[in-house]
Structure formats: structure tokens, C-alpha cells
Amino acid sequence: MTKPTLFLTRPLPEPVMAGIPARYELISDPPDRPPSPVELKQGFARADAVICTLSDRIDADLLSHAPRLKIVANYAVGYNNIDLAAARSRHIVVTNTPDVLTDSTADLTWALLLAVARRVVEGDRWIRTGTWPGWAPTQMLGSDVSGKTLGIVGMGRIGQAVAQRGAVFRMPVIYAGRRRVPAPLDLPWEWQPLDAVLAKSDFLSLHVPLTDMTRHLIGPRELTLMKPTAYLVNTSRGPVIDEAALVSALEAGTIAGAGLDVYEQEPTVCAGLISLPNVVLLPHLGSATLETRVRMGLICLDNIAAVLGGRPALNRVN
Ligand code: DGY
């Protein structure tokens, strides 16, 4: 019996790759770089199932050249890279990888928050220049984190996981978003309108999906509402922030600093951000632990097995 065909746009961690040949015919060995538009089209043309990543743009034209395709398993929790309506109109199931990356993304959010507040990366850079003169009372002063107000925009799974970690730092949590979530027992979480969250937060962390509603959710007006001592952290999607407005706000001292894992035009990072000392920049590492990336791959394979086996997908988003 012939195996179903699978197109992978990028190589996945070895434990995921190891399970593929027994169940699927891999259309081609995926290159360790983004596929070209031609490679994408060739892969989609022959695939029963596809595993793609957040940087692959899966649009209506590409889907119209995929006559046998049953499922696109996006190797990410976010799926703004896929035209869901076009997929639905062709009866192609789209799935994502929720839950399994919640902790790793929340942990990385905290790594950014602490790094920018306590100037960790600046300090590391200084040591490496060999010019550190030794301890001094006024040297590299950052900001307290413990006891400060943590603002969350988007209180979904990852927003809640970030908020939970705030309890260890005795931080009151205020949040904005469509959903009101019950606070875990004894935790001071309070829903407030976005403008109030902007104005009151000492640390503001973004956890909304990228949609037409959230594109440039944080722009010049919102940045002006923030405290000059506040820090902005983004591990969601780059276009949620108007990056040019953020650079101006950081240069002008409208806010104190930013920790960013995502950018408006990935992989390009605007020069204005790169030249600022009060910004910590990471290369979209939210889910980048071996354990998480293996779990993400296995979920993709489970969804594919379900759909090709005639069962409902586990994580359908369209
Ligand atoms: C996702 O899965 O959407 C994350 O951005 C990956 O790191």
C-alpha cells in the first residue's frame, strides 16, 4: 500500500523526523532555510499533508495548487501566516500547536523582562569589552521587578502563564483583553480597560494573536499613555507593535526599555532598535527548547494522522 505524502517546509528535531518514514513518503528533504516560493509550490502540489512554520506564507494561490492536500499542520500556536478562509473553502484542515509551548514562551517572556529591567545583556557586553572597572554604587542601575505592577494584554494560555509567574515576584497583575479569566485563588489579577493597563503597568507584556484588530495595537498613542519608567515586552507577534513608534518612544524616554522576541518584518530588525542600549533583542525564541519543539512536531503528526485517517483533527483552527 502506498503511504500518504508529507511535505515538510523545514527539518524538525530528530525525534520527530525519526517517526516520519514509517508512516509517510517525504516529498523532499527539507532545506534548513526558508523554502523558495517555487519549492513551496512544488511541495504543496504533491502533498496529502504539510507541516509548515510561522514564516511560510500559505495563501490562497498556494492552496489552489494543492489538489490532494487534506491538512496544513502549522508548527506554531499562532497561525496568522495562513489564509484560513481559503483553506476552509477547499476543505483543507488547518491545525496549530497550542498548550505545549505555553511554559517555554512564558519562561522566555520572563527572561526578557528580567534581562531588560536588570540590564543583563548590557552588563554582559561590558564585561566582554574588558573595560569594567569593578563595582560602584551608581553603576548600571536598573529597575526593581518584585512588587511592581505587571500588565498583560491578552490573557490566553500564555498570558495567564506569565501572570502566574508574577506571583513569585509579588506582583499585582492587571490585564486587558476580550476574555475575563477567573484569577487563581489568592492571586491579585484584575481586568481593566487597555488604556488603564497601559497607564498603570510597570511591565507590560503582550500575548495577543496577530489579527486585523491587533495589528499596531501598540502605537504612538498607547506608548504615550505608558509610564516613563515602564518596560514593554513582546513575545507574541511583531506587528502588534508599531516598531517605528516604539523606536521613537525609546529614544525620547517615553518608556524606559523593551524586551523583544518578535519583529514587524522578520528576519529584518530595524536599525533603530539595534542601536538602542535599553532594548533586549532575541531571535524569536519563544518556543525554542528541545522538549517543546519535539512536542510541537508530535502534535503536528497526531493531527495529520487523525485527518488522513478520517477522524477530526485535535487542534483545528479553521
Ligand atoms: C508560535 O508558535 O506561534 C511561536 O511564536 C513560536 O515560537
Side-chain angles (χ1 to χ4, degrees), residues 153 206-211 214-219 234 236-243 262-264:
V153 182
L206 307 180
H207 300 288
V208 288
L210 178 61
T211 64
T214 62
R215 190 175 295 278
H216 284 196
L217 181 69
I218 305 298
N234 190 13
S236 62
R237 285 289 181 267
V240 172
I241 299 180
D242 175 344
E243 225 163 62
V262 288
Y263 306 91
E264 266 202 86

Side-chain angles (χ1 to χ4, degrees), residues 139-154:
Q139 192 178 82
M140 287 205 70
L141 304 184
S143 162
D144 272 348
V145 173
S146 297
K148 296 286 183 78
T149 297
L150 175 61
I152 306 276
V153 182

Side-chain angles (χ1 to χ4, degrees), residues 54 75-78 97 101 235-237 284-288 293 296:
L54 55 92
Y75 187 74
V77 66
T97 63
L101 47 67
T235 54
S236 62
R237 285 289 181 267
H284 205 144
L285 295 180
S287 64
R293 292 282 169 89
M296 289 166 66

